[in-house]
Amino acid sequence: MSGIEWTEVTWNPVTGCDRISAGCDHCYALAMARRLNAMGAAKYQRDGDPRTSGPGFAVTTHPAALEIPRRWPRPRLVFVNSMSDLFHGQVGEDFVHAVFEVIAATPQHTYQVLTKRPGRVRRLVERGLVFPPNLWLGTSVENGAVTHRIDALLKVPAAVRFLSCEPLIGPLDIDRFLFPDSCPDGCGCRRPQDADCFECACGGACADWQPRPALDWVIVGGESGPHARVMAADWARDLRDQCVEAGVPFFFKQWGGRTPKAAGRELDGLAWDQMPEVTR
């Protein structure tokens, strides 16, 4: 089982990664790999580049782990590569296809893949990578400086597309990504709820247009650990409000801090545990 609130179990056919943005500065997986390396864990004995990675955290594929989901007797919600990024450039295209083949062959499970490299996902799709219907794809977005990842995510035909805004280290406006398309009447409205919709060039004709949000789920959480950066409450509230208005499931994972459990998981007195519908 997993200690991550929004999944049931983790599956790591790849381990290791490299830091590429501010959200990676205090990577929990890098710190955990260092401990596992010191303990002699077999999967964590290759060291990564000390400038971007660390002891036991070199990108490593584990072919033997590919068979694990086939052995699970009951359906599970599976977070793929909690200790890596499946779409890291050092993970070969053939191995990515092998992981997708396992996912497609086990439709009883629902798989959640989270990446900071959705641009590579888009390129692999253009080269023939096919997304199984039981695979959710998300990208990590820690602040407004990396919203290009959302642009890339929206070009990928995943059944569920989601954001992990954890650690949230700055304000983030996702409204334009929730509804990226304009009214087909050409009036410029992006959704019927726009305040000026009935006064625009189409004279309110787009009121019957019902666009579906381009994002299916948003996770928000503060950073944890001894060097945790503070998450402003208004950053979390703003994302919650944007999701509520758009009808997008919102999951508030934690406030964070040195001891995250002490700060709790409630936002304005409520627990936000919304998730997309799991179909098995």
Side-chain angles (χ1 to χ4, degrees), residues 31-224:
M32 185 179 296
R34 184 182 298 113
R35 293 195 296 270
L36 292 168
N37 172 267
M39 293 166 57
K43 291 175 72 171
Y44 300 92
Q45 294 306 304
R46 295 183 62 242
D47 295 345
D49 187 328
R51 297 168 298 179
T52 57
S53 185
F57 211 49
V59 176
T60 308
T61 57
H62 303 281
L66 291 173
E67 294 305 307
I68 292 174
R70 300 179 192 270
R71 300 197 292 264
W72 287 328
R74 62 175 182 81
R76 295 187 176 189
L77 187 61
V78 185
F79 179 24
V80 181
N81 285 342
S82 62
M83 295 295 292
S84 184
D85 187 331
L86 180 61
F87 296 101
H88 190 289
Q90 294 178 32
V91 180
E93 186 172 340
D94 288 346
F95 197 80
V96 173
H97 278 273
V99 171
F100 271 49
E101 287 168 6
V102 172
I103 292 172
T106 53
Q108 69 273 28
H109 305 312
T110 299
Y111 295 84
Q112 303 158 310
V113 176
L114 185 59
T115 182
K116 283 187 172 69
R117 299 162 174 86
R120 188 182 183 215
V121 185
R122 177 179 53 78
R123 292 191 294 274
L124 291 177
V125 168
E126 292 171 353
R127 290 167 56 86
L129 183 65
V130 177
F131 266 68
N134 59 328
L135 192 160
W136 301 359
L137 181 70
T139 192
S140 300
V141 187
E142 64 263 28
N143 56 28
V146 292
T147 55
H148 60 277
R149 295 176 187 162
I150 310 178
D151 285 313
L153 176 69
L154 297 186
K155 294 180 174 65
V156 177
V160 169
R161 295 179 294 207
F162 68 96
L163 302 184
S164 175
C165 308
E166 183 189 11
L168 185 62
I169 58 174
L172 180 60
D173 185 357
I174 62 172
D175 184 72
R176 70 181 180 91
F177 302 104
L178 289 167
F179 295 96
D181 300 321
S182 296
C183 172
D185 284 343
C187 68
C189 293
R190 289 189 300 111
R191 49 181 162 170
Q193 301 96 315
D194 283 354
D196 59 353
C197 177
F198 291 96
E199 299 178 2
C200 70
C202 75
C206 67
D208 293 329
W209 174 50
Q210 297 296 327
R212 179 178 180 269
L215 295 170
D216 302 288
W217 189 30
V218 174
I219 303 165
V220 170
E223 191 167 48
S224 60

Side-chain angles (χ1 to χ4, degrees), residues 192-263:
Q193 301 96 315
D194 283 354
D196 59 353
C197 177
F198 291 96
E199 299 178 2
C200 70
C202 75
C206 67
D208 293 329
W209 174 50
Q210 297 296 327
R212 179 178 180 269
L215 295 170
D216 302 288
W217 189 30
V218 174
I219 303 165
V220 170
E223 191 167 48
S224 60
H227 306 292
R229 291 161 283 187
V230 175
M231 176 179 64
D234 282 347
W235 301 342
R237 290 189 181 110
D238 187 44
L239 285 168
R240 176 203 58 196
D241 293 347
Q242 291 178 65
C243 289
V244 169
E245 182 180 359
V248 172
F250 176 80
F251 194 104
F252 187 70
K253 183 173 177 286
Q254 63 179 25
W255 281 105
R258 186 179 184 90
T259 54
K261 289 186 178 180

Side-chain angles (χ1 to χ4, degrees), residues 3-18:
I4 301 171
E5 289 84 351
W6 45 263
T7 197
E8 294 176 358
V9 67
T10 58
W11 172 44
N12 284 288
V14 184
T15 55
C17 200
D18 288 279

